[in-house]
Every structure is written in C-alpha cells, then in structure tokens.
Amino acid sequence: GVGTAMLDAMQQALTMRQSAGDLAIVVEGAPFGRQLIEQNGYHYSFSEATFEATPMEQQLETVSLRPYDNDEAALIAIYADGFGDTEEESQQLIAYNLTREATTIWVAEHGGKIVGTVTTTVMNNERWITAFATAKEARGQGFGQAILQHVKHDAAVEKNDVVLLDVETENVNALAVYGKAGFIKTAQLDYFIK
C-alpha cells in the first residue's frame, strides 16, 4: 500500500545518503502506523510526551530565578547528575542556549545556593521549557515545583498563551513533578529504530 511505498522511498533516500541508521516516529494512538513500522523491521526505542500548563500569576516564594551569569560549573554538575551529560556536552548545551533567539537559561537559588536550572524559549507566544533539573542535594524539597511555578508566572506576566515541555515517558520522577505542577499530557510520539 501507500505506507509501504513511502517507507521504501524513504529507505532508498537514506541508503543514497549513506545514513548510519533509521529512526521512525509514530504518533501515539496510530495503530496502523505502529503496525506498518514494526512489520518493516523497526523496533520500539522510547516515547516522548508533550505536556502543557496554563500560565498563571501566583505568589512566588521558596526560590528566586535569575538569568545565567557565568554559572557554568554549577550547571555542569546539575546536568551531569540530572541528565548524565558529560562536561563537554554540558558546555555545548550552555553555549547553544546562550546563542538561541528568545531563549534564557535561568538559575534557581535558595538561601544563596544554586538549587536548580531551567531554560525557556518563547516561540509563537508559547513558552517552552528545556534543560530543567534540580541539584541532587536539593531534590525532594519542593524546589522543582517552585521553579515550574516561576516559569508559569513569568509566562502569565508576559502574556504567553501556554507553557510546554517534552519529556521521555520512562522518566517517572519527572512525570510526577510535572503532573503535580499542573501540566497535562497533550501528545506523545513513539520512536522506533532499525
């Protein structure tokens, strides 16, 4: 059928480009897409869900957020523990986010100590959250919730339509934090490799 013809054409194009591998994406709830992909030798790898929350002005306590100001060492430690990033990967992420348009790396502080970080990007009046993590020693104290509340508050003040983020569905700790902060799953993509 049409799906198989599309996969064949894609496979030929990838072969011509000497691709190292194939990645296919299927929208959650598309059983025929998943069936087609699996019948053509793809295997499930992981899923990523998009969550959204309504911007909301609120009382902000617990933590303060400020823009990044040469806090590389602290962020490298947070990224290494939170995401498993190497020092070089963390440096690249920081450099990339510092040069992206409408993007701010925020540093969360409590009692004069850095307790977390979040990066936000505004696109089409939507505020996207990326690179959100709390310091290992600060976990379980409500700082993650406070950081997310700050982002939602700032989005309301700036009149953004919505706050969005993507997260791997296997990250159950993050899913719990986002749910508690009022984020609702709106979409999911399932990734398959060959």
Side-chain angles (χ1 to χ4, degrees), residues 4 8 44 60-61 67 82 84 96 121 160 165 170 176:
T4 302
D8 288 344
Y44 176 78
L60 300 173
E61 300 171 8
Y96 172 73
T121 302
N160 298 135
L165 60 87
E170 291 83 11

Side-chain angles (χ1 to χ4, degrees), residues 8-178:
D8 288 344
M10 180 184 72
Q11 189 65 49
Q12 289 174 357
L14 290 171
T15 300
M16 286 185 341
R17 290 181 176 92
Q18 299 177 343
S19 171
D22 296 6
L23 175 70
I25 302 170
V26 177
V27 176
E28 179 187 41
F32 298 113
R34 183 178 185 124
Q35 182 181 0
L36 174 68
I37 292 297
E38 289 176 335
Q39 286 175 345
N40 282 277
Y42 288 82
H43 304 283
Y44 176 78
S45 180
F46 69 97
S47 296
E48 192 171 69
T50 299
F51 283 75
E52 73 175 49
T54 303
M56 176 181 313
E57 288 191 48
Q58 51 206 306
Q59 286 286 74
L60 300 173
E61 300 171 8
T62 313
V63 299
S64 61
L65 289 187
R66 63 166 174 78
Y68 173 89
D69 183 27
N70 296 315
D71 304 291
E72 186 176 272
L75 267 57
I76 287 172
I78 292 170
Y79 292 159
D81 186 60
F83 310 129
D85 289 359
T86 65
E87 182 174 344
E88 182 179 349
E89 290 168 332
S90 296
Q91 289 169 333
Q92 290 171 353
L93 178 61
I94 292 166
Y96 172 73
N97 283 327
L98 288 174
T99 61
R100 284 185 69 198
E101 187 175 330
T103 299
T104 304
I105 300 172
W106 298 99
V107 176
E109 293 181 318
H110 175 76
K113 293 185 179 180
I114 294 175
V115 296
T117 183
V118 65
T119 299
T120 60
T121 302
V122 178
M123 296 183 304
N124 301 319
N125 211 37
E126 298 173 336
R127 187 169 296 239
W128 281 89
I129 291 174
T130 60
F132 165 59
T134 54
K136 184 177 185 177
E137 62 278 3
R139 292 192 189 131
Q141 300 175 50
F143 297 129
Q145 292 294 315
I147 293 168
L148 293 171
Q149 299 311 329
H150 260 282
V151 173
K152 289 168 53 177
H153 174 82
D154 291 347
V157 170
E158 296 294 322
K159 307 276 191 258
N160 298 135
D161 295 330
V162 67
V163 179
L164 299 156
L165 60 87
D166 289 326
V167 61
E168 288 188 28
T169 58
E170 291 83 11
N171 190 342
V172 293
N173 292 335
L175 295 174
V177 170
Y178 299 139

